[in-house]
Amino acid sequence: MKQMSHKNNNFIINIKETQNDTWQGSIQWIEGKKEENFRSALEMIKLIDSALNDQDPYHKE
Amino acid sequence: MDKYIRSMSFNMIHLCIDDYENYKIKGRAYNNTRQEVICFNDIDDIFIQFDRIFDDNGQPQASQSSRSFTHPKPLGRYQFRPETYNDYDEFLNEVGKKATLDLVIKSRKRSTWQGIIIYNGQEIAFDSILEMLNYVISFIES
C-alpha cells in the first residue's frame, strides 16, 4: 500500500448527535482553515482523508 | 451465504484479518469487481477504499454525496450488475490469521453502510460502519 508523508494535520471533532448507530457533528481542519459537518463516522473519516490527500502531491483526484 | 453470492456478490467483501493490536486491524480484502487483492493497514483504509469501489461500480449506490474538504466527487452512475472478474467462491479459500468473515453491503444510506456480516455460519445485520466495526472487534477478541 502506498505510504504518504504529510505535514502535521490537526482536526477538531465535535460530536453533536449519535443517531442511526453512528455519529453526527462537525470537523474543523485547522491547517486548511475549513469546517464541515458530517452525517456519519464514515463521512468524517472521508473528510479527514480528503484533507490528507490534498497534502499529497502524488494523489490529485 | 449462497443466496448473497448468487444475487449480489459484487457487493460482498471477503475480509481476512491477519493482525490485530491496540484496535489496529491489518489484513487483506477480496471483491470480485477487482482483480487485485486489497491490503489494508487499518480498518479505516477498508472503508475508504471500498467506498470508492462502490462509487465506481455504481452499486450499492449511495443515497447522498459525501462531503469533502477539497474536491467533492459526484455520485457514480447506477449499474444493475457491475462487471466481475472472479467467482466469489474462489475467495473462500483465503483465510485470515486472526479472523475471516464476509460482508454483504446491501445499501449506503445516511452516509454509511448497511448490510450483513457472515461469521462462523452466523448472519448479523448492521446499520452503520460503527456497528459493523464493533462486531468485527468482538469476533477478533473472542
Side-chain angles (χ1 to χ4, degrees):
Chain A
M1 193 184 70
K2 183 178 70 165
Q3 296 287 325
M4 298 181 286
S5 68
H6 300 285
K7 297 183 289 187
N8 278 346
N9 277 282
N10 296 283
F11 303 90
I12 297 173
I13 296 165
N14 185 4
I15 310 293
K16 296 177 184 173
E17 297 280 349
T18 54
Q19 295 177 17
N20 304 317
D21 291 307
T22 187
W23 303 337
Q24 296 82 40
S26 63
I27 176 168
Q28 196 179 340
W29 178 21
I30 305 299
E31 287 75 14
K33 296 183 173 59
K34 292 179 182 176
E35 184 170 356
E36 274 287 355
N37 294 322
F38 59 87
R39 295 161 286 197
S40 70
L42 176 60
E43 191 166 46
M44 183 194 75
I45 291 168
K46 290 171 71 174
L47 277 160
I48 293 171
D49 186 63
S50 71
L52 297 181
N53 280 326
D54 192 53
Q55 303 281 305
D56 179 12
Y58 299 104
H59 187 113
K60 292 290 181 191
E61 290 183 15
Chain B
M1 176 150 59
D2 285 346
K3 61 184 177 186
Y4 301 117
I5 293 175
R6 279 198 302 273
S7 61
M8 51 179 6
S9 63
F10 38 82
N11 288 349
M12 292 180 70
I13 304 170
H14 184 69
L15 207 58
C16 299
I17 297 166
D18 295 321
D19 193 25
Y20 174 69
E21 193 175 337
N22 294 327
Y23 296 100
K24 200 170 172 71
I25 300 172
K26 293 183 185 181
R28 298 156 286 129
Y30 301 84
N31 172 271
N32 62 3
T33 67
R34 292 295 182 273
Q35 294 175 294
E36 70 278 10
V37 177
I38 294 146
C39 298
F40 56 95
N41 283 334
D42 206 348
I43 198 73
D44 60 293
D45 206 12
I46 279 289
F47 300 144
I48 290 168
Q49 291 198 59
F50 272 95
D51 213 58
R52 284 191 192 137
I53 288 171
F54 296 144
D55 283 344
D56 290 343
N57 288 349
Q59 261 275 17
Q61 195 173 36
S63 63
Q64 294 157 311
S65 296
S66 278
R67 292 174 177 136
S68 170
F69 278 125
T70 52
H71 309 289
K73 198 177 167 189
L75 286 176
R77 200 172 58 186
Y78 173 76
Q79 289 192 77
F80 178 61
R81 293 194 82 85
E83 185 179 7
T84 58
Y85 297 99
N86 306 86
D87 287 330
Y88 193 87
D89 293 304
E90 295 172 17
F91 298 146
L92 301 180
N93 296 323
E94 301 292 338
V95 173
K97 292 174 188 167
K98 292 283 184 187
T100 309
L101 52 102
D102 294 273
L103 302 172
V104 184
I105 311 306
K106 290 184 161 185
S107 59
R108 292 195 291 159
K109 299 175 194 169
R110 300 184 293 274
S111 301
T112 187
W113 297 357
Q114 297 81 37
I116 305 277
I117 304 170
I118 304 169
Y119 178 71
N120 277 352
Q122 285 185 289
E123 291 186 12
I124 303 162
F126 62 90
D127 284 327
S128 71
I129 62 160
L130 278 187
E131 192 178 6
M132 184 250 283
L133 186 56
N134 279 334
Y135 281 122
V136 171
I137 290 173
S138 72
F139 298 152
I140 298 170
E141 290 181 343
S142 65

